[in-house]
PDB file of all heavy atoms in Angstrom:
ATOM      1  N   TYR A  93     179.443 -42.345 -77.028  1.00  0.00           N
ATOM      2  CA  TYR A  93     178.122 -42.291 -76.396  1.00  0.00           C
ATOM      3  C   TYR A  93     178.088 -43.167 -75.152  1.00  0.00           C
ATOM      4  O   TYR A  93     177.572 -42.756 -74.111  1.00  0.00           O
ATOM      5  CB  TYR A  93     177.041 -42.723 -77.391  1.00  0.00           C
ATOM      6  CG  TYR A  93     175.655 -42.593 -76.818  1.00  0.00           C
ATOM      7  CD1 TYR A  93     174.993 -41.378 -76.834  1.00  0.00           C
ATOM      8  CD2 TYR A  93     175.014 -43.682 -76.234  1.00  0.00           C
ATOM      9  CE1 TYR A  93     173.731 -41.240 -76.281  1.00  0.00           C
ATOM     10  CE2 TYR A  93     173.754 -43.566 -75.688  1.00  0.00           C
ATOM     11  CZ  TYR A  93     173.116 -42.343 -75.711  1.00  0.00           C
ATOM     12  OH  TYR A  93     171.876 -42.198 -75.166  1.00  0.00           O
ATOM     13  N   ARG A  94     178.648 -44.365 -75.254  1.00  0.00           N
ATOM     14  CA  ARG A  94     178.694 -45.253 -74.086  1.00  0.00           C
ATOM     15  C   ARG A  94     179.512 -44.624 -72.954  1.00  0.00           C
ATOM     16  O   ARG A  94     179.153 -44.716 -71.790  1.00  0.00           O
ATOM     17  CB  ARG A  94     179.296 -46.606 -74.468  1.00  0.00           C
ATOM     18  CG  ARG A  94     178.321 -47.568 -75.068  1.00  0.00           C
ATOM     19  CD  ARG A  94     178.886 -48.980 -75.135  1.00  0.00           C
ATOM     20  NE  ARG A  94     180.213 -49.053 -75.730  1.00  0.00           N
ATOM     21  CZ  ARG A  94     180.447 -49.207 -77.047  1.00  0.00           C
ATOM     22  NH1 ARG A  94     179.436 -49.318 -77.882  1.00  0.00           N
ATOM     23  NH2 ARG A  94     181.684 -49.264 -77.492  1.00  0.00           N
ATOM     24  N   HIS A  95     180.607 -43.960 -73.327  1.00  0.00           N
ATOM     25  CA  HIS A  95     181.484 -43.361 -72.315  1.00  0.00           C
ATOM     26  C   HIS A  95     180.788 -42.225 -71.568  1.00  0.00           C
ATOM     27  O   HIS A  95     180.898 -42.131 -70.337  1.00  0.00           O
ATOM     28  CB  HIS A  95     182.757 -42.844 -72.992  1.00  0.00           C
ATOM     29  CG  HIS A  95     183.725 -42.225 -72.047  1.00  0.00           C
ATOM     30  ND1 HIS A  95     184.530 -42.964 -71.201  1.00  0.00           N
ATOM     31  CD2 HIS A  95     184.028 -40.923 -71.797  1.00  0.00           C
ATOM     32  CE1 HIS A  95     185.280 -42.146 -70.493  1.00  0.00           C
ATOM     33  NE2 HIS A  95     184.997 -40.894 -70.835  1.00  0.00           N
ATOM     34  N   TYR A  96     180.096 -41.343 -72.303  1.00  0.00           N
ATOM     35  CA  TYR A  96     179.502 -40.175 -71.665  1.00  0.00           C
ATOM     36  C   TYR A  96     178.048 -40.367 -71.238  1.00  0.00           C
ATOM     37  O   TYR A  96     177.613 -39.782 -70.262  1.00  0.00           O
ATOM     38  CB  TYR A  96     179.592 -38.954 -72.600  1.00  0.00           C
ATOM     39  CG  TYR A  96     180.979 -38.382 -72.636  1.00  0.00           C
ATOM     40  CD1 TYR A  96     181.845 -38.712 -73.660  1.00  0.00           C
ATOM     41  CD2 TYR A  96     181.429 -37.542 -71.635  1.00  0.00           C
ATOM     42  CE1 TYR A  96     183.124 -38.198 -73.693  1.00  0.00           C
ATOM     43  CE2 TYR A  96     182.700 -37.016 -71.650  1.00  0.00           C
ATOM     44  CZ  TYR A  96     183.554 -37.351 -72.692  1.00  0.00           C
ATOM     45  OH  TYR A  96     184.812 -36.848 -72.709  1.00  0.00           O
ATOM     46  N   PHE A  97     177.290 -41.148 -71.978  1.00  0.00           N
ATOM     47  CA  PHE A  97     175.854 -41.259 -71.691  1.00  0.00           C
ATOM     48  C   PHE A  97     175.403 -42.686 -71.420  1.00  0.00           C
ATOM     49  O   PHE A  97     174.234 -42.918 -71.146  1.00  0.00           O
ATOM     50  CB  PHE A  97     175.031 -40.712 -72.866  1.00  0.00           C
ATOM     51  CG  PHE A  97     175.384 -39.301 -73.230  1.00  0.00           C
ATOM     52  CD1 PHE A  97     176.132 -39.036 -74.368  1.00  0.00           C
ATOM     53  CD2 PHE A  97     174.981 -38.244 -72.437  1.00  0.00           C
ATOM     54  CE1 PHE A  97     176.446 -37.736 -74.713  1.00  0.00           C
ATOM     55  CE2 PHE A  97     175.304 -36.946 -72.779  1.00  0.00           C
ATOM     56  CZ  PHE A  97     176.049 -36.688 -73.912  1.00  0.00           C
ATOM     57  N   GLY A  98     176.291 -43.653 -71.504  1.00  0.00           N
ATOM     58  CA  GLY A  98     175.916 -45.050 -71.382  1.00  0.00           C
ATOM     59  C   GLY A  98     175.379 -45.409 -70.013  1.00  0.00           C
ATOM     60  O   GLY A  98     174.338 -46.030 -69.876  1.00  0.00           O
ATOM     61  N   ARG A  99     176.080 -45.028 -68.973  1.00  0.00           N
ATOM     62  CA  ARG A  99     175.614 -45.338 -67.629  1.00  0.00           C
ATOM     63  C   ARG A  99     174.970 -44.094 -67.048  1.00  0.00           C
ATOM     64  O   ARG A  99     175.586 -43.067 -66.866  1.00  0.00           O
ATOM     65  CB  ARG A  99     176.748 -45.841 -66.761  1.00  0.00           C
ATOM     66  CG  ARG A  99     178.017 -45.051 -66.857  1.00  0.00           C
ATOM     67  CD  ARG A  99     179.116 -45.692 -66.038  1.00  0.00           C
ATOM     68  NE  ARG A  99     180.481 -45.464 -66.308  1.00  0.00           N
ATOM     69  CZ  ARG A  99     181.072 -44.480 -66.937  1.00  0.00           C
ATOM     70  NH1 ARG A  99     180.393 -43.556 -67.493  1.00  0.00           N
ATOM     71  NH2 ARG A  99     182.369 -44.408 -67.067  1.00  0.00           N
ATOM     72  N   ARG A 100     173.687 -44.206 -66.807  1.00  0.00           N
ATOM     73  CA  ARG A 100     172.930 -43.073 -66.238  1.00  0.00           C
ATOM     74  C   ARG A 100     173.150 -43.053 -64.731  1.00  0.00           C
ATOM     75  O   ARG A 100     172.989 -44.080 -64.059  1.00  0.00           O
ATOM     76  CB  ARG A 100     171.438 -43.198 -66.551  1.00  0.00           C
ATOM     77  CG  ARG A 100     171.127 -43.110 -68.015  1.00  0.00           C
ATOM     78  CD  ARG A 100     171.258 -41.681 -68.459  1.00  0.00           C
ATOM     79  NE  ARG A 100     170.959 -41.607 -69.887  1.00  0.00           N
ATOM     80  CZ  ARG A 100     171.146 -40.522 -70.589  1.00  0.00           C
ATOM     81  NH1 ARG A 100     171.632 -39.452 -70.022  1.00  0.00           N
ATOM     82  NH2 ARG A 100     170.852 -40.499 -71.843  1.00  0.00           N
ATOM     83  N   ARG A 101     173.483 -41.896 -64.225  1.00  0.00           N
ATOM     84  CA  ARG A 101     173.689 -41.758 -62.791  1.00  0.00           C
ATOM     85  C   ARG A 101     172.397 -41.277 -62.152  1.00  0.00           C
ATOM     86  O   ARG A 101     171.856 -40.250 -62.517  1.00  0.00           O
ATOM     87  CB  ARG A 101     174.812 -40.783 -62.527  1.00  0.00           C
ATOM     88  CG  ARG A 101     176.124 -41.249 -63.073  1.00  0.00           C
ATOM     89  CD  ARG A 101     177.227 -40.278 -62.763  1.00  0.00           C
ATOM     90  NE  ARG A 101     178.442 -40.762 -63.402  1.00  0.00           N
ATOM     91  CZ  ARG A 101     179.255 -39.988 -64.085  1.00  0.00           C
ATOM     92  NH1 ARG A 101     179.008 -38.720 -64.233  1.00  0.00           N
ATOM     93  NH2 ARG A 101     180.333 -40.501 -64.638  1.00  0.00           N
TER      94      ARG A 101
END
Side-chain angles (χ1 to χ4, degrees):
Y93 184 83
R94 276 193 310 271
H95 181 76
Y96 284 98
F97 304 105
R99 45 184 157 22
R100 295 286 180 188
R101 297 182 184 135

